[in-house]
Amino acid sequence: MDRAIVYAGSIPLDTDVLRAGRYVKEGVGRLAEMLFGQGAMAASGLACTPSTTALSVTIGPGSILAPGALDATAIGGAGGGLAADTTAIACQYLNEAAQVVAIPSSGVTCTIYALCGEVDTDGTVLPFYNAADPAQTLAGVSNDGAALPTRRTGTMSFVAATSAPAAPAGGAVVALHTLTVPSEATTLAGVTPEAGQVFWPTIPELATLTLLRAATSPMALMAQSGMIGIPAWASRVELRAIGGGGGGSASNSQSTSGSFSGSGGGAGGDAWGVYAVNPSGADGLQVTVGAGGAQQMTGGTTQVVYQGQTLLQAAGGVPGAFYATQGSAGGIGGAASGGTIWNLTGGYGGDGQCGTATFAGYGGDGPWGGGGRCGADAGMAGTKFGAGGGGAYSIAGSTSAGGVSTGGAGYQGCVLYRFLP
């Protein structure tokens, strides 16, 4: 980092002090670039509180680190000072008091932008040395009594818009919070802002054992419907949803002309992805786990909903079913949607009978196998998440008193999750 040099007995100049300030700003900026990366943006504080009585939000105090210029304009003056230096550097901008920001209208999705720049403030009438009369102090330059700015500060203002505005000269525009405003709304009651990606975890948060363990731990399993809370340090969540397996088909052979070999149920769909979350919001992840399908019934859909929107879902497998007196086709796998890593359709269940030919009516395997085996007088149930049930087969007259050999049930779905910084 550069430092100004002065000497005993030399006459101090205004540029000695101005250069010291510029050197400090550049040194701190280069250090920030080492921590966050060149060109990165980071925000701290700046809480967004929606109004319950108007279409506005209040942005609290805080700071932003964003690219800017060392000095977009000359600093100092009155016969001295430093010329402008537009070298790009990471700059700090402050918001020292809460500001109210109006929302443009209802029925829109808008973003709160911070307009970051530097301004010269704190105007003061300064005393100047009078070379013509050393005993006299001048009030301002040439004794004109005019005030001069005494502080150059990085500051910010805010605007709500549907697209990014132009950046101030030598400054930056930073997207902070996004809000979806319902049509015909007159207030923002019930609206939850979604924080942007500029809100990084702090060093103490990154240093906690909780975060380190969570970031390196395997995905957790949720095998029943419910709510998952979001930890304070998280900004993303990795999710994998598996739909319930379809049930296997029965057989009802009473004679050689009847059906005697049922088909297997299809496996549930498989959706996997990573999604942004807001730990400061009140909402968690609402999980619905699809049940396994009973005999000849479709498996349930597994889905994860966040702030009223479905992130991903995996449909249940279709059951094995008879399409004719002696024809039983395996169920197709459930579809998947919303995944950012993949959306996989579940595996098919095995066919049962096709006229005089028979096939092994096994249930479709889930992601970890477990398709139910076809079984004499009763198909076997699926044994692992998302697996389909097996079909039943029987010889003429061997069925139970009800005349039906039961197909196996599909296995339920599940959700795997892991929070990330």
Side-chain angles (χ1 to χ4, degrees), residues 313-399:
Q313 67 177 22
V318 174
F322 282 93
Y323 61 86
T325 302
Q326 289 186 313
S328 181
I332 62 174
S337 62
T340 61
I341 296 176
W342 70 41
N343 293 294
L344 300 179
T345 300
Y348 280 85
D351 289 340
Q353 186 172 357
C354 181
T356 58
T358 60
F359 306 91
Y362 280 57
D365 280 335
W368 302 280
R373 184 178 65 82
C374 56
D377 293 330
M380 303 300 166
T383 59
K384 295 183 179 178
F385 292 112
Y393 63 86
S394 58
I395 60 174
S398 70
T399 55

Side-chain angles (χ1 to χ4, degrees), residues 132-407:
D133 184 0
Q136 179 190 22
T137 301
L138 303 179
V141 179
S142 301
N143 208 33
D144 59 8
L148 292 171
T150 57
R151 179 166 66 116
R152 175 163 290 184
T153 181
T155 186
M156 66 184 83
S157 60
F158 305 97
V159 64
T162 55
S163 59
V173 170
V174 180
L176 296 177
H177 305 275
T178 300
L179 303 94
T180 299
V181 185
S183 299
E184 301 181 359
T186 57
T187 74
L188 295 184
V191 175
T192 302
E194 183 172 343
Q197 296 183 348
V198 294
F199 292 94
W200 298 72
T202 64
I203 291 176
E205 289 171 335
L206 290 171
T208 62
L209 287 176
T210 299
L211 178 59
L212 292 174
R213 288 169 180 162
T216 58
S217 66
M219 298 179 76
L221 171 69
M222 191 162 187
Q224 59 185 10
S225 301
M227 183 75 73
I228 302 175
I230 300 173
W233 53 263
S235 64
R236 298 173 298 155
V237 63
E238 182 180 1
L239 296 167
R240 187 176 181 185
I242 310 297
S249 176
S251 70
N252 59 1
S253 175
Q254 294 294 306
S255 67
T256 55
S257 62
S259 60
F260 55 87
S261 182
S263 56
D270 182 353
W272 194 348
V274 177
Y275 311 88
V277 292
N278 178 13
S280 64
D283 294 342
L285 301 169
Q286 182 63 53
V287 173
T288 301
V289 173
Q295 169 186 287
Q296 294 178 211
M297 297 293 290
T298 301
T301 296
T302 297
Q303 65 177 5
V304 181
V305 176
Y306 177 57
Q307 294 185 340
Q309 296 185 343
T310 299
L311 298 181
L312 76 173
Q313 67 177 22
V318 174
F322 282 93
Y323 61 86
T325 302
Q326 289 186 313
S328 181
I332 62 174
S337 62
T340 61
I341 296 176
W342 70 41
N343 293 294
L344 300 179
T345 300
Y348 280 85
D351 289 340
Q353 186 172 357
C354 181
T356 58
T358 60
F359 306 91
Y362 280 57
D365 280 335
W368 302 280
R373 184 178 65 82
C374 56
D377 293 330
M380 303 300 166
T383 59
K384 295 183 179 178
F385 292 112
Y393 63 86
S394 58
I395 60 174
S398 70
T399 55
S400 62
V404 174
S405 294
T406 306

